[in-house]
């Protein structure tokens, strides 16, 4: 006799599978209009389904095998030569994601991640810093934007970082099919491009967060303040220059004494082992307050090593002048969620296992 619980669980599983199938079909319909040729449209849908499948590695041959193709040529054509606009498709995906995740406390995060490569032909590849190992590796580097809310997080935009060794080498540009209009841009400049695109589409997050690569770039955070009017929490290094009154300081000069009452023990959000508590303090620094905003230096110290400078983190914050220290701590604690996006995309969806070499691919 069938166990009633098994029958019930099977029914639940089938219902969930049906809902997932309907969701995927709706998503495909949104993207379908961006592929003029039916062959490219079918290849794109098959590619998406293969990426979502349990195939261990999402490279060309295994993806082809998953959908019943004898070789990966159809997908290589889709990614490298077929006529469709990747930026337009990305905008559609971005809109779809924001519709489902939008909340009053949404956050945009920018970070970069690398993709190890063996040869020298993949566009943008060179020996450069690879964050996963913390060493110089032969890799490509992409700068990504993530949308974060209390409903979840996802990647919504991307730019390939093209080093000067590529932008200034006409032979490499030709082999990689790099468009003429693509010039060298720093990672913060690529971040501005993505933020401008998001703002143009009406995405105005409550906060923006990023690491030292962006926090240490004065032109970047100045753009956030003066052009975008965007509240932010940016990680900076201990030598970050700030001005209070007429005096210039480095961030480490303003660190409160270990026994100062400025320190408050606050959680920056829940982790895998519960709430993540640190001691936090802040110091206001010079800022044009005519629009009701204030700039601060924010400090975080580890509870186990309160006097060890190696365990002190520094942030620069720009926000409404009535923003609380607790709110700043909460936002600073959200940046790790873009790293969760990278981990999931690399572990489950084959980010970095692609085998195309051209700029378009």
């Amino acid at each position: 006799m069938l166990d009633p619980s098994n029958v019930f669980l099977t029914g639940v599983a089938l219902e969930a599978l049906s809902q997932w199938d309907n969701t995927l079909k709706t998503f495909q319909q949104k993207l379908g209009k961006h592929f003029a040729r039916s062959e490219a449209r079918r290849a794109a849908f098959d590619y998406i389904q293969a990426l979502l499948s349990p195939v261990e590695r999402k490279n060309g041959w295994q993806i082809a095998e998953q959908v019943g193709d004898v070789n990966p040529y159809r997908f290589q054509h889709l990614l490298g030569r077929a006529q469709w606009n990747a930026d337009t498709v990305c905008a559609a995906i971005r809109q779809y994601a924001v519709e489902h995740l939008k909340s009053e406390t949404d956050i945009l995060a920018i970070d970069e991640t690398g993709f190890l490569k063996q040869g020298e032909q993949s566009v943008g590849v060179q020996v450069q810093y690879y964050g996963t190992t913390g060493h110089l590796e032969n890799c490509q580097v992409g700068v990504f934007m993530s949308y974060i809310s209390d409903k979840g997080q996802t990647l919504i935009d991307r730019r390939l970082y093209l080093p000067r060794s590529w932008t200034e080498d006409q032979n490499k540009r030709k082999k990689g099919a790099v468009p003429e209009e693509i010039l060298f841009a720093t990672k913060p400049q690529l971040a501005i491009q993505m933020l401008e695109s998001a703002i143009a589409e009406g995405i105005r997050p409550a906060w923006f967060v990023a690491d030292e690569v962006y926090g240490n770039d004065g032109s970047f955070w100045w753009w956030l303040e003066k052009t975008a009017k965007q509240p932010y929490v940016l990680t900076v290094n201990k030598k970050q220059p700030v001005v209070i009154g007429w005096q210039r300081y480095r961030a480490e000069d303003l660190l409160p004494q270990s026994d100062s009452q400025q320190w408050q023990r606050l959680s920056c959000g829940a982790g895998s082992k519960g709430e993540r508590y640190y001691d936090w303090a802040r110091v206001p620094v010079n800022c044009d307050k005519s629009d009701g905003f204030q700039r601060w230096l924010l400090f975080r110290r580890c509870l186990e090593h309160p006097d060890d400078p190696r365990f002190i983190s520094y942030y620069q914050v720009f926000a409404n002048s009535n923003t609380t220290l607790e709110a700043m701590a909460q936002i600073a604690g959200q940046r790790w969620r873009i790293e969760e996006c990278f981990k999931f995309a690399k572990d489950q969806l084959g980010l970095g296992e692609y085998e195309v070499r051209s700029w378009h691919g």
Side-chain angles (χ1 to χ4, degrees), residues 19 41 49 58 76-77 124 136 162 178 195 202 312 351:
Q19 291 176 349
R41 191 181 312 119
Q49 289 185 313
K58 305 302 197 299
Q76 290 173 352
H77 177 77
L136 296 178
L162 205 60
V178 179
L195 286 165
I312 301 291
L351 181 64

Side-chain angles (χ1 to χ4, degrees), residues 35 42 68 74 185 207 212 296 326:
F35 298 87
R42 285 195 298 270
R74 189 163 64 107
W207 291 91
E212 284 187 39
W296 291 268
E326 182 178 13

Side-chain angles (χ1 to χ4, degrees), residues 28-36 41 45 92 95:
Q28 289 176 338
Q29 288 172 357
K30 286 181 175 291
L31 295 187
K33 62 183 179 181
H34 300 293
F35 298 87
R41 191 181 312 119
F45 293 169
Q95 181 184 39

Side-chain angles (χ1 to χ4, degrees), residues 226-280:
K226 297 303 179 183
T227 302
K229 302 292 184 182
Q230 174 62 57
Y232 63 71
V233 177
L234 301 175
T235 308
V236 297
N237 65 37
K238 63 182 181 181
K239 299 186 184 300
Q240 177 80 349
V242 297
V243 177
I244 299 180
W246 299 98
Q247 186 66 41
R248 188 179 179 89
Y249 300 90
R250 297 190 304 188
E252 61 183 344
D253 300 331
L254 300 172
L255 184 68
Q257 296 295 318
S258 60
D259 58 351
S260 170
Q261 293 185 353
Q262 289 177 266
W263 292 105
Q264 295 184 38
R265 187 152 300 175
L266 299 167
S267 170
C268 61
S272 59
K273 299 180 180 180
E275 295 294 323
R276 296 172 293 150
Y277 283 97
Y278 295 90
D279 286 338
W280 300 82

Side-chain angles (χ1 to χ4, degrees), residues 215 221-222 225 232-236 240-242 285 295-298 314-318:
W221 55 258
W222 188 256
E225 293 183 8
Y232 63 71
V233 177
L234 301 175
T235 308
V236 297
Q240 177 80 349
V242 297
V285 299
R295 191 186 306 142
W296 291 268
L297 275 178
L298 176 67
Y314 299 82
Y315 305 86
Q316 182 165 292
V317 178
F318 176 76

